Amino acid sequence: MTFFGRSDGGALSDIELAAEIADGAGRILQAIRHGSLLDDGVLGDTGDRLAQAWIARVLRRHRPHDAVLSEEAPDSTHRLTEDRVWVIDPLDGTRDYSAHRPDYAVHVALTQGGQPVHSAVSLPAMDRVFRSDTVTAPTGALTGNLALSRSRATPGMFRVAEQLGLTPVSLGSAGVKTMAVVTGQVDVYLHAGGQYEWDSCAPVGVARAAGLHCSRLDGSELTYNNPDPYLPDLIVCRPELAEKVLAALA
Ligand SMILES: Nc1ncnc2c1ncn2[C@@H]1O[C@H](COP(=O)(O)O)[C@@H](OP(=O)(O)O)[C@H]1O
Ligand SMILES: [Mg+2]
C-alpha cells in the first residue's frame, strides 16, 4: 500500500497519521471558534461537520482501504467484516465547545480485532496532543479527585465518589476527563448512563498505553467495532485504585 503525505517524502505510520489528524482537526475547531463569531448550537454543529469533513477526506486519501466508524458519519455494516477500523469522534464535548469552554477533544483511534492499537487525543484549547506511542504513566501522588461529566453525571456516580472519599471534579468531554487521569490531575474517571464507542476508544487507547486501568463499570473488557456502538459506561483509573473502585461499584 502506498501512503502519501510527509514533507520528507516518507510514508506516515498509523500513529503519525492518527496524531496528525487529531492535531489538525483540533486546529480547525479552534479556528471555527475564532472571535466568538458563532455561538451555542450553531457553533457545535459547525465544528462537528467541518472537523468530520476534513477527517473523512484525510482518511480517504491516506488510508483508502480502511473502514471508519465516526460519530458524525453514517454507519455501515461494512466495518464489521474489516480488521482495520478507525474509530473517530471529531468533536467530543460538543456542549462545552459550544459554550466556548476549553474542555473538548478530538479522538482518533485505529482499532484492530476490536481494540485500539494506535490512538491520539488532542485537547485543542490546551494545545496538547496525547499519543499512545509516546504517552507516559502519571508519576505524581494521588490527588483525591474523581472526574465526572459536567452535564450528565448520574447521582450514583456522586455516591460512589463519596464512598471512595474522592472529590468530584466536573469536566466536559470523555477525552478531557481521561487525559486528566493520564496527567495525574485526577485519580479516577467514572461514567454511567450512556456513551458510544467513539467517546472512549481513542482515550482508552492512550490511557492503556499509560498503564491505567480501563474497563466497564462491572470490570468487564471494553471492546470496539461492535454491531451496536453503544458503550454506556466506563472506568479509567490509576491501576493501584482499580480494585477499590470496582468494589465500590459492585
Ligand atoms: N447519557 C448519555 N448518553 C449518550 N451519550 C452520552 C451520555 N453522557 C455523555 N455522553 C457523551 O459522552 C461524551 C462526553 O460527555 P460528557 O462531556 O458529558 O462527559 C459526549 O460526546 P459528544 O460531545 O461527542 O456528543 C456525550 O454526548
Ligand atoms: Mg463524544
Side-chain angles (χ1 to χ4, degrees):
M1 193 186 299
T2 307
F3 302 145
F4 307 94
R6 223 162 62 177
S7 54
D8 64 3
L12 282 175
S13 68
D14 289 327
I15 185 61
E16 285 169 337
L17 180 60
E20 283 292 303
I21 291 174
D23 188 29
R27 289 170 192 271
I28 290 167
L29 289 165
Q30 283 292 96
I32 290 167
R33 290 212 297 197
H34 178 73
S36 303
L37 294 169
L38 298 175
D39 250 317
D40 302 327
V42 174
L43 177 56
D45 190 46
T46 307
D48 276 333
R49 283 165 191 252
L50 294 187
Q52 168 61 32
W54 183 78
I55 292 171
R57 289 301 289 262
V58 170
L59 280 175
R60 264 207 308 280
R61 169 136 197 245
H62 291 264
R63 294 295 186 274
H65 304 295
D66 290 355
V68 181
L69 169 65
S70 170
E71 174 170 16
E72 300 301 330
D75 195 9
S76 149
T77 52
H78 164 69
R79 64 179 173 80
L80 300 174
T81 52
E82 294 298 304
D83 182 46
R84 289 172 56 93
V85 182
W86 294 82
V87 179
I88 307 283
D89 192 338
L91 169 50
D92 183 65
T94 310
R95 288 184 184 187
D96 311 276
Y97 175 79
S98 304
H100 288 270
R101 290 173 52 92
D103 36 359
Y104 78 93
V106 180
H107 303 169
V108 182
L110 174 65
T111 66
Q112 286 189 271
Q115 291 297 329
V117 289
H118 298 292
S119 304
V121 173
S122 68
L123 309 187
M126 300 166 211
D127 204 19
R128 293 207 63 176
V129 180
F130 294 83
R131 304 166 47 142
S132 53
D133 62 336
T134 54
V135 69
T136 53
T139 50
L142 295 175
T143 60
N145 293 328
L146 177 147
L148 293 174
S149 167
R150 186 174 75 85
S151 50
R152 276 166 285 207
T154 59
M157 294 299 98
F158 283 101
R159 281 197 296 275
V160 170
E162 194 179 347
Q163 198 178 330
L164 289 165
L166 298 175
T167 306
V169 176
S170 296
L171 288 169
S173 157
V176 167
K177 286 186 278 291
T178 304
M179 294 312 107
V181 189
V182 167
T183 55
Q185 292 166 288
V186 303
D187 305 334
V188 182
Y189 164 35
L190 294 181
H191 187 79
Q195 236 173 27
Y196 292 88
E197 290 187 9
W198 45 77
D199 294 313
S200 67
C201 188
V204 161
V206 172
R208 280 192 185 143
L212 300 176
H213 169 91
C214 304
S215 71
R216 302 285 303 270
L217 291 186
D218 64 1
S220 62
E221 193 190 14
L222 294 152
T223 64
Y224 296 92
N225 194 31
N226 294 296
D228 179 357
Y230 190 60
L231 186 53
D233 55 77
L234 175 68
I235 307 173
V236 179
C237 73
R238 297 278 281 260
E240 59 269 41
L241 295 178
E243 206 176 313
K244 197 173 152 191
V245 172
L246 287 166
L249 288 159

